[in-house]
Amino acid sequence: MKKSIKLLSSAVLGLAAVACSSPEKMADMAENVTVNCDPAVLEVVAGEINATVSVTYPADYFHPKAILEVTPVLVYEGGEAAMEPFMYQGEKVTDNYKVVPSEGSTVTEKVHFTYVPGMEKSYLELRGVVKHKNKTVNLPVKKVADGANTTYMLVKKDGKVDFKADNYQEVIKQTAEGQILYTINSSTVRNSQLKSESIKSFQAALDEIKANERKELVSTDIVAYASPDGGEKLNAKLSDKRSATAEKAFGKVTKGHEVEAPVNVQSVGQDWEGFQELVAQSDLEDKDLIIRVLSMYSDPAVREREIKNMSAVYKTLAKEVLPELRRARFIANVEFTNYSNEELLQLIEENIDVLDEEALLRAASVAKDNADKESVYKKAVEKFSSDRAQYNLAVVYLNENKVDAAKAALAKVQAKDADWQNAMGVVALREGNQADAVKYFNAAANQTSKENLAVVDILNGRYADAAAKLADSKGCCHNKTLAYILAGDLDKAAASAKCASASVSYLKAVIAARQGNADEVKANLEAAGKDEKLAERAAKDVEFAQYR
């Protein structure tokens, strides 16, 4: 037994002596060297590939007088990229390299490569050369990791811009009005009032409403008032009586002028609102003083007293203003149906000059062709100096990726508001100037610019920040889903992936791959494969390496 142990010990010592006796033996024993990489699959972040490589040299491996040169090389389709080599030395070498002792040790190094196209299908290897005296021996190449994950490059990075809305009204509310006047303290409707120009105009308006297919009479109001002179209670009763006689008069006025709509009768009492309006429109010398009295006092009796105290003014009021407030108004409430989208599109082809600014803005918004949008917005700028149209013209150019044209159009916009700041940020983003883009987006400080800032975050590897900014985003879910994937929150990523598009199907395939769901990977890649570029990408994407 003791003899066997002695023989075994001798064999081990002999093996150790052989192992470190020459550079050739280091090459022969290279399989005993272990290598680990973090991450195990290389990833591109903000255009860079960074990893930590740990190499463990076993005891009695490293020749004490040898120098080892280790070069990390990333091999990819179309070429390879090599770092400056790491240099190591045995414990009896007097150079200044990192020492690997004969008892063995683990050395850890940072590797870095700048991404170039083709590296999405690559692998990292270590190439070693042992030098001892005049001998140079190449070690077997050690494969370290596969690479490189470029999922962040799926970000939609053009940036979002919003069109400015128009104020076009599909239905315009209009009124047509006539009135009858009463004498002081009377509720009797005089025959002359039923033949007044005001009533004739009202009747003509009713006829025109009925004849116009775009107009609809929805209701009519009869509103009776008393002038604000005399007691409040007395005037309230007088107003009530006038509402009753006005309703009867309305029947006579509309006879032969059909009114097929509800009629609402109202008694207001003292017409202080009408009084203030007439005073403001008048040439009275002290009208500002009268209006100030109305603003200072809300009690009708106090108002009346203070105004009567201005005796000279009151005489003029009693003669020129108060008689106009002893009245009943007939108000036809009308809805005018504006041009439909189809009619607007026809008009921009046949008679664009009849359209006002809001109609032009709406016509441009519903035009399907960018050339038509551009033409209509230019017309609105030319005819109305429309700042909104000038801005929207820049948006059209951005949607066509005409960055220079968009920049020139934005320079002519007067309102440097949040929309403008965001659009300038998109211009900067597309020009590759992220610093200026961030300044503009921060200045805009709205939801759209917030989502554009998330794009910058993704491009720079700040995935959690991007996910936070996109949490409340609406519309296209692509970047939101991507941000959650990159941030490692696959549940939220899956929940947000609700949009029907090839690009979102691709992201759903990535989610499924990371969750180990082969069937979902296949199904979603089939859907994404309708896009040729995505199909080509999937064939090389390291995300799906184990499913090919």
Side-chain angles (χ1 to χ4, degrees):
M1 184 66 175
K2 289 181 180 180
K3 185 178 180 181
S4 299
I5 293 173
K6 287 181 180 179
L7 289 174
L8 180 58
S9 299
S10 297
V12 172
L13 291 172
L15 180 60
V18 169
C20 64
S21 62
S22 68
E24 290 84 354
K25 296 303 180 182
M26 289 179 68
D28 292 341
M29 302 298 293
E31 62 183 22
N32 294 330
V33 176
T34 59
V35 181
N36 290 294
C37 184
D38 181 26
V41 177
L42 301 177
E43 181 177 7
V44 184
V45 178
E48 307 294 332
I49 300 172
N50 292 289
T52 301
V53 176
S54 297
V55 181
T56 300
Y57 297 101
D60 297 322
Y61 172 78
F62 210 101
H63 193 290
K65 294 184 179 181
I67 293 174
L68 175 60
E69 179 183 288
V70 177
T71 304
V73 180
L74 190 64
V75 182
Y76 61 95
E77 287 187 335
E80 61 183 40
M83 288 181 60
E84 287 294 320
F86 299 117
M87 303 297 293
Y88 308 101
Q89 66 186 41
E91 54 195 354
K92 292 185 179 181
V93 177
T94 58
D95 284 332
N96 292 318
Y97 305 131
K98 189 176 290 187
V99 175
V100 179
S102 59
E103 62 265 24
S105 70
T106 298
V107 294
T108 300
E109 305 287 0
K110 301 289 186 181
V111 298
H112 169 82
F113 300 93
T114 297
Y115 171 83
V116 297
M119 286 184 178
E120 56 272 10
K121 188 174 183 180
S122 60
Y123 58 88
L124 174 64
E125 64 183 25
L126 300 180
R127 298 175 184 175
V129 177
V130 180
K131 298 178 180 180
H132 178 241
K133 295 182 180 180
N134 295 324
K135 288 185 177 180
T136 298
V137 177
N138 292 326
L139 297 181
V141 174
K142 285 276 188 182
K143 182 179 176 182
V144 178
D146 288 313
N149 189 309
T150 60
T151 297
Y152 90 97
M153 293 183 183
L154 290 168
V155 63
K156 292 187 180 296
K157 60 182 179 181
D158 285 342
K160 292 173 62 177
V161 283
D162 299 318
F163 282 101
K164 283 191 177 296
D166 58 75
N167 295 315
Y168 186 77
Q169 295 175 278
E170 286 85 359
V171 175
I172 301 174
K173 295 187 181 299
Q174 301 174 334
T175 59
E177 184 172 338
Q179 68 175 13
I180 55 177
L181 298 177
Y182 295 89
T183 59
I184 190 168
N185 293 329
S186 173
S187 61
T188 301
V189 178
R190 294 167 289 169
N191 287 332
S192 61
Q193 289 297 304
L194 300 181
K195 300 175 183 178
S196 69
E197 289 302 316
S198 177
I199 293 300
K200 289 179 181 178
S201 295
F202 181 67
Q203 290 170 329
L206 291 177
D207 293 341
E208 194 275 332
I209 291 166
K210 186 168 182 62
N212 192 329
E213 63 180 12
R214 288 189 178 275
K215 291 185 177 181
E216 179 185 0
L217 181 64
V218 293
S219 67
T220 304
D221 299 325
I222 300 171
V223 188
Y225 304 86
S227 61
D229 54 328
E232 184 178 8
K233 291 183 179 179
L234 177 65
N235 281 332
K237 291 179 180 179
L238 182 58
S239 178
D240 290 343
K241 290 179 181 179
R242 286 175 177 173
S243 68
T245 59
E247 186 175 8
K248 291 180 181 179
F250 182 79
K252 295 178 182 179
V253 167
T254 57
K255 188 175 181 180
H257 309 276
E258 295 183 28
V259 177
E260 298 175 356
V263 178
N264 309 305
V265 182
Q266 182 183 3
S267 172
V268 172
Q270 292 182 322
D271 189 7
W272 285 107
E273 185 177 331
F275 177 79
Q276 181 169 335
E277 182 178 338
L278 289 178
V279 169
Q281 294 171 357
S282 74
D283 296 326
L284 288 169
E285 185 175 340
D286 294 322
K287 68 179 183 180
D288 292 338
L289 178 59
I290 296 170
I291 293 172
R292 189 156 58 248
V293 168
L294 296 178
S295 65
M296 290 172 61
Y297 304 105
S298 59
D299 187 291
V302 177
R303 282 178 167 181
E304 185 179 359
R305 184 187 70 232
E306 292 295 324
I307 292 171
K308 282 184 176 180
N309 285 340
M310 295 181 280
S311 56
V313 174
Y314 188 75
K315 288 180 181 180
T316 305
L317 291 172
K319 182 180 178 181
E320 298 180 6
V321 174
L322 295 177
E324 297 297 319
L325 303 176
R326 298 162 189 147
R327 59 180 176 155
R329 298 165 63 199
F330 302 148
I331 306 169
N333 299 305
V334 181
E335 289 186 350
F336 176 84
T337 302
N338 214 341
Y339 297 120
S340 67
N341 290 346
E342 291 74 18
E343 289 173 320
L344 287 171
L345 292 176
Q346 185 175 353
L347 285 169
I348 65 174
E349 295 291 336
E350 300 174 359
N351 193 13
I352 194 171
D353 286 325
V354 304
L355 302 179
D356 62 14
E357 180 181 4
E358 301 305 330
L360 286 171
L361 291 173
R362 175 59 61 88
S365 72
V366 298
K368 295 181 180 178
D369 185 86
N370 279 333
D372 285 342
K373 290 181 184 292
E374 180 180 341
S375 174
V376 177
Y377 284 134
K378 285 182 176 179
K379 184 70 174 180
V381 171
E382 173 193 339
K383 191 174 180 181
F384 300 105
S385 299
S386 174
D387 207 43
R388 283 175 294 161
Q390 181 66 47
Y391 166 82
N392 284 350
L393 181 61
V395 175
V396 171
Y397 289 141
L398 284 173
N399 288 342
E400 294 179 315
N401 204 29
K402 298 177 180 177
V403 179
D404 289 341
K407 194 172 183 179
L410 288 169
K412 298 177 182 178
V413 174
Q414 298 299 312
K416 305 299 192 285
D417 58 6
D419 288 333
W420 183 88
Q421 297 283 357
N422 178 69
M424 287 297 294
V426 170
V427 169
L429 185 63
R430 295 190 189 181
E431 289 178 336
N433 189 338
Q434 290 188 17
D436 280 356
V438 169
K439 290 178 183 177
Y440 282 120
F441 292 148
N442 282 330
N446 59 17
Q447 180 61 34
T448 303
S449 66
K450 184 179 176 182
E451 293 176 25
N452 287 335
L453 280 169
V455 172
V456 179
D457 284 337
I458 290 173
L459 292 174
N460 288 281
R462 298 186 293 268
Y463 303 141
D465 290 346
K469 289 182 176 71
L470 291 167
D472 298 324
S473 65
K474 308 297 181 185
C476 177
C477 66
H478 177 96
N479 280 355
K480 182 177 181 178
T481 302
L482 176 62
Y484 281 132
I485 291 173
L486 297 172
D489 198 333
L490 297 182
D491 290 339
K492 286 185 178 179
S496 67
K498 302 298 183 184
C499 317
S501 69
S503 67
V504 173
S505 292
Y506 195 95
L507 294 179
K508 290 166 76 173
V510 172
I511 295 169
R514 295 191 179 193
Q515 292 176 329
N517 190 330
D519 291 340
E520 286 294 314
V521 171
K522 181 180 179 181
N524 283 299
L525 283 182
E526 286 179 358
K530 296 175 183 178
D531 183 308
E532 290 184 9
K533 290 184 178 180
L534 290 177
E536 182 180 346
R537 176 190 171 92
K540 301 177 182 179
D541 197 336
V542 72
E543 293 273 12
F544 310 120
Q546 69 184 79
Y547 299 98
R548 286 196 283 271

